Amino acid sequence: MSARKDYQRPLDWKRGRIDLNHGAGGRASAQLVSELFAAEFDNEYLNQGNDAAALPAPRELAEGGRLVMATDAHVVSPLFFPGGDLGCLSVHGTVNDLAMLGARPLWLSASFILEEGFALADLRRIVQSMAAAARAAGVPIVTGDTKVVEQGKGDGCFISTTGVGALPRGRDIGGARARPGDVLLLSGTVGDHGVAVLSQRESLEFETAITSDTAALHGLVEAMLAAAPEGAVHVLRDPTRGGLATTLNEIAQQSGVGIELDEAAIPVLPQVDAACELLGLDPLYLANEGKLVAAIAPDAAAAVLAAMQRHPLGAQAARIGRVQADEHCFVQMRTRLGGRRIVDWLSGEPLPRIC
């Protein structure tokens, strides 16, 4: 994605639509890149104008650290929903994947698959949202690509993003590091994103607005790590597709442990809880785009929880359970009524095209 200039008639942002010429690599492609992507994503690396970006080595490498890379595809429907849209979601999702390893997100690439006939106004809105999210996160989009498919062979706009981050020396966080006795901390309410998208998709109205929680979490992660002794943060995960329940099952399998949850301790907004009851959904299985769950060494859990609650994205953080020895790797929950039940893997997909 280079920033070549073009001198034909400016793009019609009100009535214009994507056509096959915008993906053909010629004058129309150059104009789309110049007037939209290069203009909105403007930064020194993108402005090199090449098909790849030459980037400086991060300081962490000189200190014995490592590079981390993550990639994600974003196909949410609808493209715009309360609290967010496809654009900011594509930035937040990849930034968060890097942050869940404790890495400092550095750069992003973006690849667009556009359908012939897609409105330029909607594309511009998505790209502007991406640019704003990248600036707010301090993670520039430094290279990218655009392809156009024939009408009927796509669905408006798909975005894939890849991110590169730097992991400091000695930082070892991952899904296989949970240990019996670890405390499970959750950064806030679950199910917000899933219900927000569903409400827009199905034109549902609730007495209280439900908005997506989409957000970049690397600042919250750094606050957590600063509050804990080195090595005390064992696992960080953002419970996106499949929700909290599926994420905890993944951690249990990776680490070879069991997990015990306290249902009463898991924060759920009243309006989300009511919507789930009405629609027959379980908030534990709904996607989140701005929450994380962490397994923390028990002697550091109180300090990390306090640090989370001081951060804007962790104000409703809570202790929701613990890791225990269990050769079967079950995730179990103490219910509000005093019973116990297995919290199994997600079976099927209650809300497709959610992120």
Side-chain angles (χ1 to χ4, degrees):
M1 184 184 290
S2 62
R4 294 174 294 174
K5 291 185 178 180
D6 191 84
Y7 299 100
Q8 66 186 42
R9 181 179 299 175
L11 293 169
D12 183 350
W13 298 115
K14 291 184 178 180
R15 294 178 297 275
R17 293 188 175 274
I18 290 292
D19 62 43
L20 293 178
N21 289 326
H22 289 121
R27 186 184 299 272
S29 297
Q31 182 181 22
L32 184 66
V33 168
S34 177
E35 294 187 23
L36 181 59
F37 298 113
E40 296 295 340
F41 296 155
D42 180 51
N43 61 75
E44 60 179 304
Y45 308 112
L46 186 67
N47 290 341
Q48 292 170 4
N50 300 313
D51 288 337
L55 304 168
R59 64 176 185 272
E60 286 87 349
L61 290 188
E63 299 167 355
R66 293 169 287 167
L67 287 178
V68 174
M69 185 169 70
T71 192
D72 205 352
H74 306 273
V75 295
V76 67
S77 176
L79 299 175
F80 307 98
F81 47 84
D85 53 60
L86 177 66
C88 65
L89 193 67
S90 66
V91 170
H92 295 155
T94 299
V95 166
N96 291 346
D97 285 345
L98 297 170
M100 293 307 105
L101 286 183
R104 177 172 64 95
L106 296 172
W107 307 292
L108 294 171
S109 72
S111 176
F112 294 79
I113 305 295
L114 305 174
E115 184 184 18
E116 181 187 13
F118 188 61
L120 282 174
D122 287 343
L123 179 59
R124 188 186 197 188
R125 182 177 169 189
I126 288 168
V127 171
Q128 288 175 336
S129 178
M130 284 185 75
R135 286 192 296 270
V139 187
I141 298 168
V142 298
T143 188
D145 187 49
T146 304
K147 293 294 186 293
V148 177
V149 298
E150 294 90 342
Q151 195 161 27
K153 294 187 177 180
D155 191 11
C157 180
F158 298 152
I159 302 175
S160 291
T161 45
T162 296
V164 175
L167 188 65
R169 181 180 180 181
R171 189 171 290 181
D172 188 10
I173 298 169
R177 297 203 65 243
R179 299 291 180 264
D182 282 355
V183 174
L184 289 177
L185 304 179
L186 179 65
S187 65
T189 56
V190 296
D192 302 10
H193 176 73
V195 173
V197 171
L198 179 64
S199 67
Q200 189 71 16
R201 184 184 300 174
E202 304 297 335
S203 299
L204 301 176
E205 294 185 2
F206 302 103
E207 290 185 4
T208 306
I210 300 174
T211 61
S212 172
D213 59 350
T214 182
L217 295 170
H218 55 308
L220 174 61
V221 168
E222 287 302 322
M224 295 168 65
L225 291 169
E230 184 174 347
V233 178
H234 293 162
V235 181
L236 293 169
R237 289 292 297 275
D238 55 333
T240 53
R241 282 180 302 171
L244 178 64
T246 301
T247 297
L248 292 177
N249 275 281
E250 291 172 350
I251 292 170
Q253 289 289 333
Q254 279 185 267
S255 294
V257 297
I259 288 176
E260 182 182 62
L261 299 174
D262 179 2
E263 183 178 26
I266 299 173
V268 183
L269 290 174
Q271 58 268 39
V272 170
D273 198 35
C276 287
E277 185 174 352
L278 175 68
L279 299 169
L281 299 172
D282 186 337
L284 295 184
Y285 292 94
L286 295 184
N288 311 274
E289 291 294 341
K291 301 298 190 311
L292 65 81
V293 62
I296 310 293
D299 56 353
V304 173
L305 178 59
M308 294 171 73
Q309 292 172 337
R310 289 192 295 268
H311 193 279
L313 296 178
Q316 294 176 289
R319 176 174 177 157
I320 63 167
R322 65 185 182 91
V323 178
Q324 59 189 10
D326 180 359
E327 63 180 6
H328 302 293
C329 303
F330 287 152
V331 178
Q332 304 180 60
M333 186 161 66
R334 298 193 307 273
T335 69
R336 290 186 178 89
L337 299 178
R340 302 179 73 87
R341 72 176 178 92
I342 297 292
V343 179
D344 208 349
W345 291 82
L346 176 68
S347 177
E349 176 59 87
L351 296 177
R353 300 281 306 277
I354 202 72
C355 58

